[in-house]
Amino acid sequence: MESRGESAIATGAQALVAAVDTLTALSLIPVSDTDIVTLMQQIETSTRRLASVTQDLIVQACTRSLPTRNGSASPALYLQAVLHISHADAINRWRAAEDLAVWHRVGDEADPAPVLPCAAQALDEGAISLDHVRVIRQVMNRLPGKVAPEARAYAEQQLAQQARALDPTQLPRIGERVLGFLDPDGTLTEDTDRQRLRSASVSPQRYDLMSTLTVELTPDARSAFDAVMAKLARPGMCNPADKESPWADDGELPRDLVEACAARDERTKVQRQHDALLAVLHPDFNPAKLGSHRGLPVATILTMSIEDLERAAGVATTATGGQVPVADAVKLVARRSKTFVLVKNKDGMPLHIGEARLANPAQRLALIATERGCTRPGCTAPSSMCAVHHVTEFSKGGKTDIENLTLACDHCHALVKDGPRGWTTIKLGQESDFPGRTAWIAPAHVDPTRAPQINHLHHPGEMLTAAPPSVRTRSFCNPVRPQPVQDRIARRTSTPSPRQ
């Protein structure tokens, strides 16, 4: 016998179907412009509210083990089969139900609540859509595990509140601000947080047979990726359109061959990285054949300070400009053979140059530790993209000593030449604010004063040193009274009301 509640649900569903049938049968031509807008808004709100009902239906389906009884491997696959929706849509609905619906789990003593209660309420009111919910879930998932429950709850409240006034493409900006306020210096984020976020997924092939690869790399994986890309994705390498283009080698590649292939390489950076990834994934690829890159074995190169190493805190810098937590860097060295470590003292000078197995050109490693990248002012090229340059040219009697060497990327290296349009490099003396650093002197048509300049971009801390004392004191050294996290988030993320 049908219960009263079941009868009411059936009646409501029939009324919904009838209302939709009525709307689809009517002509909208007589409707005024104002009513068209109002009708669109009303239907959108109702559609969003129906999404909230869908969450409850998914809960009931899972509670009754319908996916398992249907032979589906997961609830998302069950929704895909029953509703004939895309796999991405099914996953989005299932994950939204996990965090927004009320689940009565075994052992619950109190009435259960949604994981994201504010977002659930906003969806139930039709104020936000499932796309808003997806963004809110992504931001909340990125919160470090050490964030206090009160701050976590307030962050979700702020996101749900802002979602009512913003579209889903604007909401990530608020999310980035919330993340920045809750963990401004990154000290709350731990390796467990990064491991939780790691992922790699490939989309189904499109009609053109192309696929999208989406990857969340841990610092360890990023350091390995950058080391391989530095060689295999450089111009001229792994080019399928060039029969002479080298892929991997047993030793140092002939310089003239690489330069000739690079000169006719018309690929973009992302295309070169794709071709390099294809080379790595090829069944015949042998990592041992990666050989060397700019005089060094293809490996992860880590630079850290002695203070951070002793504290097991802070970050180590890679040759490609990336960062790895020092604690993770120590583990990385222990388990990976091709990892070089450079430890610097408080003055930035190398104390220790070590590697796990292979021999190492110490001069280049010392330059990586001290200069980190191209030394020409304004250049952001990391050290993995740089060549070793003689400050006083070898042809003019310059020695291959560490005091006469510096790093310069291929583009900047070509700028150093004789003549009125050539750049000049010098080493700064002990009387300088940055003794031992490489300074570049621009030609007169670029800088009539021809004043020596150094590159601060690879040494962010020096930018503060180079600032006037008044700026340093006012902006960075004055104590600031701590503010409650609620006040900081509300002040930075608040959006004026449309009525204001």
Side-chain angles (χ1 to χ4, degrees):
M1 182 175 179
E2 187 179 56
S3 66
R4 180 176 303 177
E6 186 176 355
S7 176
I9 293 175
T11 301
Q14 292 173 0
L16 173 63
V17 173
V20 173
D21 290 341
T22 300
L23 287 175
T24 56
L26 296 175
S27 173
L28 296 175
I29 295 178
V31 182
S32 66
D33 294 351
T34 302
D35 289 341
I36 284 290
V37 175
T38 301
L39 186 59
M40 285 194 298
Q41 292 174 337
Q42 290 175 339
I43 292 179
E44 176 64 24
T45 300
S46 298
T47 302
R48 293 176 176 182
R49 297 190 66 189
L50 284 175
S52 182
V53 178
T54 301
Q55 312 305 315
D56 295 334
L57 292 173
I58 293 175
V59 171
Q60 288 299 317
C62 294
T63 302
R64 304 179 188 197
S65 302
L66 296 186
T68 303
R69 288 157 55 186
N70 189 64
S72 299
S74 68
L77 291 176
Y78 173 74
L79 295 175
Q80 182 179 355
V82 172
L83 303 180
H84 303 291
I85 58 179
S86 69
H87 186 60
D89 191 9
I91 290 179
N92 191 31
R93 296 189 191 188
W94 159 245
R95 290 178 176 172
E98 283 186 300
D99 288 345
L100 271 65
V102 175
W103 293 80
H104 294 272
R105 307 185 187 279
V106 177
D108 285 338
E109 298 180 357
D111 292 335
V115 177
L116 303 176
C118 297
Q121 179 180 351
L123 182 66
D124 187 57
E125 296 173 3
I128 65 174
S129 67
L130 283 181
D131 283 337
H132 288 102
V133 172
R134 175 177 50 81
V135 176
I136 294 174
R137 291 186 67 259
Q138 290 174 347
V139 175
M140 295 300 297
N141 190 44
R142 290 174 57 192
L143 288 179
K146 282 189 173 181
V147 171
E150 297 80 6
R152 184 179 297 271
Y154 196 82
E156 192 261 338
Q157 177 187 349
Q158 285 294 311
L159 289 168
Q161 177 181 338
Q162 298 299 327
R164 294 171 178 265
L166 302 175
D167 67 55
T169 62
Q170 298 170 321
L171 193 56
R173 295 185 180 181
I174 303 299
E176 291 298 329
R177 290 184 179 183
V178 170
L179 291 169
F181 298 148
L182 294 182
D183 190 15
D185 53 3
T187 56
L188 296 181
T189 302
E190 297 181 325
D191 185 58
T192 53
D193 298 311
R194 290 184 283 269
Q195 294 297 330
R196 174 173 52 83
L197 295 174
R198 75 189 191 281
S199 66
S201 62
V202 181
S203 70
Q205 284 183 298
R206 302 192 301 262
Y207 69 93
D208 57 359
L209 304 184
M210 299 292 285
S211 305
T212 300
L213 174 65
T214 304
V215 181
E216 287 277 349
L217 295 176
T218 61
D220 185 351
R222 175 62 186 268
S223 66
F225 177 83
D226 285 345
V228 174
M229 290 297 115
K231 175 172 184 176
L232 298 187
R234 66 182 297 191
M237 292 290 293
C238 304
N239 189 353
D242 189 343
K243 295 182 179 180
E244 297 182 1
S245 175
W247 285 54
D249 66 297
D250 293 315
E252 186 69 19
L253 288 173
R255 183 174 181 178
D256 55 348
L257 171 63
V258 177
E259 291 180 348
C261 293
R264 54 180 180 263
D265 193 343
E266 299 180 351
R267 298 172 297 168
T268 63
K269 178 181 178 181
V270 292
Q271 289 173 334
R272 296 198 308 268
Q273 290 188 158
H274 170 276
D275 297 338
L277 183 61
L278 175 61
V280 172
L281 296 177
H282 197 276
D284 295 335
F285 175 75
N286 183 355
K289 292 185 178 182
L290 278 174
S292 60
H293 173 61
R294 299 188 184 274
L296 288 178
V298 176
T300 300
I301 302 176
L302 301 170
T303 303
M304 65 187 76
S305 68
I306 185 63
E307 294 87 353
D308 288 345
L309 181 60
E310 291 174 346
R311 296 185 301 115
V315 294
T317 304
T318 67
T320 54
Q323 294 182 329
V324 178
V326 167
D328 295 347
V330 174
K331 298 177 184 177
L332 182 61
V333 174
R335 69 174 184 269
R336 184 181 296 172
S337 59
K338 288 190 176 182
T339 302
F340 295 85
V341 180
L342 301 95
V343 181
K344 301 184 300 181
N345 63 12
K346 62 180 181 180
D347 297 320
M349 300 303 295
L351 284 178
H352 168 75
I353 300 177
E355 47 90 13
R357 190 184 65 178
L358 298 180
N360 161 49
Q363 289 176 325
R364 180 173 177 84
L365 288 175
L367 290 173
I368 292 174
T370 56
E371 297 185 340
R372 304 180 186 175
C374 181
T375 54
R376 189 174 77 92
C379 185
T380 60
S383 53
S384 60
M385 302 299 294
C386 294
V388 175
H389 164 65
H390 287 74
V391 175
T392 300
E393 295 182 24
F394 184 78
S395 59
K396 297 181 179 180
K399 296 182 179 181
T400 310
D401 295 334
I402 191 65
E403 295 82 3
N404 189 48
L405 301 179
T406 191
L407 294 180
C409 68
D410 294 341
H411 171 73
C412 296
H413 199 182
L415 298 176
V416 181
K417 56 187 176 183
D418 295 330
R421 305 188 70 84
W423 289 64
T424 304
T425 54
I426 63 172
K427 285 288 187 178
L428 297 178
Q430 293 298 321
E431 71 283 356
S432 168
D433 292 335
F434 305 98
R437 293 286 296 280
T438 303
W440 289 60
I441 302 175
H445 70 277
V446 176
D447 179 12
T449 66
R450 305 213 67 196
Q453 302 289 337
I454 66 173
N455 192 357
H456 294 288
L457 294 181
H458 300 291
H459 307 266
E462 292 180 354
M463 296 182 181
L464 175 59
T465 304
S470 59
V471 174
R472 295 202 304 268
T473 302
R474 180 175 63 254
S475 302
F476 299 96
C477 299
N478 284 345
V480 179
R481 180 174 58 86
Q483 298 174 339
V485 63
Q486 294 89 342
D487 294 343
R488 286 187 281 132
I489 296 178
R491 181 175 295 106
R492 299 293 184 88
T493 62
S494 60
T495 301
S497 170
R499 299 181 180 180
Q500 293 178 349

